[in-house]
Amino acid sequence: MRSVMLHARRFGMQGHWRILAAKQPACCLRHRGAATITSSATAPAATVVAAAESGTAQAPPKPATGSIAAVQVLDEHTAPEKLQSISTLILDCDGVLWRGSEIIRNAPEALRVFRRDGKRLLFVTNNSSKSRVEYAAKFRSLGLEVSPDEIVSSSYCAAAYLKSVGFGANGSRTDKKVLLLGWTGVEQELRAADIPFIGGREFQLPAMDSMDAMKELQVDPDIGAVVVGWDPNFSYSRIVYASICLRELPGCVLVATNTDCADHIGGGRMMPGTGGLVRAVEVAAGTTAVNVAKGGEWLLPYLCRTYNLDPSRTAIIGDRMDTDILLGRQGGLFTCLPLTGVTTLERLQSLPPSERPNVVVGSVAKLAGLP
């Protein structure tokens, strides 16, 4: 029986795809362990486990009167069986394997268990500040055994998308270069893909503090795309330059490494995400960016094609509803949300069952049967 059918059709500019996932029959969902939402009125108390990373159980939140079913949070005893039919795990990084520079408890051991059980692992992150090589070094520093070819960072996705629409050697747009508003991660991936660019960390522009300064600004006429990633040097002058390219250079496209609004940095504080920078350029240029990361429509077809994924045997493990879980829902993947990142149990409880992930766990370690 075919449990998932993916249909892709052209949507908007070249290389931008819309994903449509056919409904899966209930028998397939049961086979894959997707029925993890139970009513608090019918589920035995012992089966509704709120497993925090520490392993301490707590009572599930009480649903409101007239009520949406309670969220079932699986522990190390009940979670592993949900992955029995899964061959590939797509794992988010920050909020799943680590928080900032702090490793999630038993995350390295969990990856070893998954590999021992024959699971293929892909690490897909929306953070564009590092290249795959830089990410591999970070993984090693945290005791995680991961090779660069298992990492799909949004910095890498930006370069892969540009190659798919003709940038770089042997492409149809070899005469075009990229304006980068971003950091080392995208710089390194563009160089690796042999895509010429200007901008990046060292991009120096005069102050755009008058109309005369803007009128006199000359932009590189060979720019064919503007890429916006994480950029701590983002400025009004950069918005001006980017918007002129997008408005005045024929065929110039806007590419976002991601559109995340904010990220946890520890201590209860959030840092602004790349989404705010992307939105500023979109508004200034009067255009819409192609989002090449989780939350956009380009990434899943690329992953399926490049890694020969079988969606019916692929699970995504991530802490964000608007990126990780959305990616899974786009293509009918099995979705799993650990409570170690952005999304809280209270937030999940407020959603109707049809919008929740298939499985909720205290941490990624629970999926591997670890405390």
Side-chain angles (χ1 to χ4, degrees):
M1 178 184 298
R2 294 177 63 189
S3 60
V4 173
M5 296 176 60
L6 282 180
H7 305 278
R9 71 181 181 216
R10 287 289 184 186
F11 181 77
M13 61 187 65
Q14 184 180 4
H16 195 183
W17 295 83
R18 181 183 295 278
I19 304 307
L20 301 176
K23 281 190 176 180
Q24 301 177 60
C27 60
C28 294
L29 292 177
R30 285 197 297 271
H31 174 69
R32 289 168 56 201
T36 61
I37 306 300
T38 63
S39 167
S40 61
T42 58
T47 67
V48 185
V49 181
E53 187 187 353
S54 63
T56 303
Q58 63 184 38
K62 292 182 180 179
T65 305
S67 175
I68 297 176
V71 175
Q72 182 183 12
V73 185
L74 304 184
D75 63 13
E76 63 269 30
H77 306 293
T78 55
E81 65 182 25
K82 302 302 183 182
L83 299 183
Q84 286 182 359
S85 64
I86 298 298
S87 61
T88 301
L89 298 178
I90 297 174
L91 295 107
D92 182 36
C93 299
D94 201 350
V96 173
L97 302 175
W98 61 69
R99 284 184 297 239
S101 59
E102 204 175 303
I103 193 73
I104 299 292
R105 181 186 179 203
N106 283 336
E109 292 78 7
L111 298 189
R112 286 193 281 271
V113 169
F114 295 146
R115 293 188 193 278
R116 182 201 67 196
D117 292 344
K119 312 291 187 190
R120 178 173 58 163
L121 306 183
L122 292 176
F123 301 88
V124 181
T125 174
N126 275 15
N127 191 324
S128 68
S129 64
K130 295 180 175 61
S131 66
R132 288 172 298 169
V133 170
E134 290 175 316
Y135 265 114
K138 175 166 184 173
F139 277 99
R140 287 193 299 272
S141 73
L142 294 172
L144 299 163
E145 301 163 9
V146 175
S147 64
D149 60 4
E150 294 177 306
I151 300 168
V152 185
S153 61
S154 63
S155 54
Y156 168 74
C157 291
Y161 171 78
L162 290 167
K163 284 185 70 71
S164 76
V165 295
F167 285 79
N170 304 317
S172 59
R173 307 188 74 185
T174 55
D175 58 330
K176 294 298 181 181
K177 64 184 69 170
V178 170
L179 168 65
L180 171 61
L181 307 186
W183 211 241
T184 58
V186 187
E187 288 178 355
Q188 291 182 21
E189 295 294 352
L190 290 175
R191 291 192 187 101
D194 198 23
I195 297 174
F197 69 94
I198 66 170
R201 288 176 303 168
E202 306 303 326
F203 194 33
Q204 299 293 325
L205 289 170
M208 294 292 105
D209 54 4
S210 70
M211 286 186 288
D212 288 338
M214 293 180 203
K215 288 177 183 178
E216 294 168 4
L217 180 65
Q218 299 295 312
V219 301
D220 189 325
D222 294 329
I223 290 172
V226 175
V227 174
V228 180
W230 182 73
D231 182 10
N233 291 338
F234 194 74
S235 67
Y236 184 72
S237 293
R238 294 189 178 199
I239 296 175
V240 170
Y241 197 105
S243 65
I244 291 174
C245 291
L246 291 162
R247 286 185 179 274
E248 299 181 10
L249 300 180
C252 189
V253 297
L254 177 59
V255 179
T257 62
N258 68 88
T259 57
D260 296 11
C261 61
D263 298 292
H264 278 296
I265 57 174
R269 177 162 291 178
M270 301 282 285
M271 64 174 280
T274 301
L277 313 187
V278 173
R279 187 67 180 130
V281 176
E282 286 181 327
V283 171
T287 191
T288 301
V290 178
N291 178 9
V292 298
K294 292 176 291 186
E297 295 175 326
W298 178 81
L299 180 59
L300 187 59
Y302 173 77
L303 292 175
C304 289
R305 182 175 64 251
T306 304
Y307 296 95
N308 194 28
L309 296 183
D310 176 357
S312 68
R313 302 194 65 210
T314 301
I316 183 162
I317 304 168
D319 68 310
R320 298 183 73 122
M321 294 294 298
D322 59 342
T323 56
D324 306 303
I325 306 307
L326 176 60
L327 181 72
R329 291 170 64 85
Q330 282 176 323
L333 311 185
F334 188 75
T335 55
C336 178
L337 187 141
L339 296 171
T340 48
V342 171
T343 306
T344 64
L345 191 58
E346 290 72 23
R347 167 63 178 150
L348 292 173
Q349 181 61 39
S350 70
L351 298 174
S354 62
E355 296 181 11
R356 297 170 182 169
N358 297 124
V359 164
V360 180
V361 291
S363 72
V364 69
K366 311 295 183 183
L367 278 172
L370 301 170

